[in-house]
């Protein structure tokens, strides 16, 4: 098939997993991504499939992933499933000749990242991208460009945090065994940002610590609801990370990049909008409530980027090595939390 023929026909895509985030990707693909046609969805849960059929008019519904991969004419899958399933599902899709977008993180184990990388190398004609959504956020993009232009000189330090509003129901407690814990689930975003903003920095040594401030049930999974970490990179560069599940005020993601000639801060005030309230309590903004409220535009931009790259055979913004490195550092932070020792690379 010629490249022109590829670019002219809509990409036939399927979403696998229709939970918290899968529904959002499905909505975007059904309504707002030029060149994509959401032809099928897959979930073991009937109500999730019915939602896709009734709300998005998706014509083909699958309980079984293997059956979905055999769907005639399917070009690409969007995996929005529990992280523990990612590696095997990516490999199965590649073997079936499908392009793959998969949610972060790539996996919970380094050996899985290696297996995925090896399988992807056997299919150079297929695209594989892990969804590090913050790279597609307009403010992070702007900061990245300013660093490239030399605005802050040589960047040498990143502070980055991912702090969620406290969920009294503790969704993430049940989620903990398949999410890999707070560093692989939350800080993996900050790790990827630090490597990107510092210029593909390579880790040298990490140390982490944490506590359970509210959700003591996490201890049964050796997880914490507040974690901090230091990551030393090569060439004397440094990053510190903070992740929390217990913020009282809302979702508070921010990143600070310090260089020899200045500093950039993204999201220093996690305000919901530009309305400032002045009353007897003082002067304040309301806070963004969830990660999706904060990164709604970026989730759409990353999916558009992936579809465009597949249809027009363009390079992807990040590769499997970036995703493997982020997992590698996340695993080391988990290990340091458990052993209370630094981990050397
Ligand atoms: N980029 C981000 O900021 C971000 C935010 C939230 C979640 N995520 C990632 O998205 C993924 C899903 O997270 P979530 O919060 O939507 O989880 P969720 O538990 O709400 O949804 C998981 C979905 O997978 C389905 N599922 C389970 N087993 C399946 C199988 N074998 N085949 C097909 N579907 C199956 C479930 O029915 C459910 O619909 C995770 O990897 C998570 O790390 C990323």
């Amino acid at each position: 098939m010629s490249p022109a023929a590829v670019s002219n026909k809509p990409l036939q895509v399927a979403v696998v997993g229709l939970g918290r985030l899968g529904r959002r990707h499905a909505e975007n693909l059904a309504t707002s991504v030029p060149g994509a046609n959401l032809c099928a969805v897959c979930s073991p849960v009937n109500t999730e499939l019915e939602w896709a059929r009734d709300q998005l008019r998706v014509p083909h519904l699958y309980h079984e992933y293997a059956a979905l991969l055999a769907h005639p004419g399917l070009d690409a899958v969007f995996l929005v499933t529990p992280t523990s399933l990612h590696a095997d599902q990516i490999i199965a899709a590649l073997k079936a000749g499908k392009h793959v977008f998969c949610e972060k993180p790539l996996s919970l184990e380094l050996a899985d990242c290696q297996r995925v990388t090896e399988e992807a190398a056997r299919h150079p004609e297929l695209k594989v991208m892990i969804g590090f959504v913050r790279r597609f956020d307009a403010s992070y993009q702007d900061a990245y460009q300013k660093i490239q232009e030399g605005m802050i000189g040589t960047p040498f330090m990143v502070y980055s945090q991912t702090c969620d509003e406290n969920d009294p129901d503790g969704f993430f407690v049940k989620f903990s065994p398949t999410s890999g814990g707070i560093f692989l689930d939350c800080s993996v975003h900050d790790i990827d940002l630090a490597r990107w903003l510092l210029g593909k920095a390579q880790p040298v040594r990490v140390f982490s610590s944490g506590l359970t401030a509210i959700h003591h049930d996490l201890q049964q999974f050796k997880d914490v609801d507040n974690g901090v970490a230091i990551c030393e990179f090569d060439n004397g560069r440094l990053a510190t990370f903070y992740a929390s599940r217990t913020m009282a005020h809302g979702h508070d993601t921010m990143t600070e990049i310090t260089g020899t000639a200045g500093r950039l801060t993204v999201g220093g005030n996690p305000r919901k909008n530009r309305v400032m309230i002045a009353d007897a309590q003082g002067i304040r903004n309301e806070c963004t409530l969830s990660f999706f409220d904060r990164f709604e535009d970026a989730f759409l931009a990353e999916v558009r980027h992936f579809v465009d790259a597949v249809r027009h055979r363009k390079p992807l913004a990040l590769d499997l090595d970036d995703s493997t490195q982020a997992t590698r550092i996340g695993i080391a932070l988990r290990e340091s939390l458990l052993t209370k020792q630094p981990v050397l690379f």
Side-chain angles (χ1 to χ4, degrees), residues 207-263:
F207 180 72
S208 73
S209 184
L211 57 88
T212 50
I214 295 179
H215 299 279
H216 304 297
D217 285 356
L218 283 170
Q219 288 169 8
Q220 66 188 297
F221 304 118
K222 299 189 167 72
D223 197 3
V224 293
D225 59 17
N226 281 264
V228 292
I230 298 175
C231 180
E232 293 171 355
F233 288 109
D234 54 350
N235 301 324
R237 296 170 292 178
L238 204 58
T240 54
F241 306 123
Y242 172 42
S244 174
R245 313 274 198 187
T246 63
M247 292 292 107
H249 59 290
H251 178 82
D252 190 350
T253 282
M254 69 88 80
T255 302
E256 211 172 64
I257 312 103
T258 306
T260 50
R263 171 186 294 167

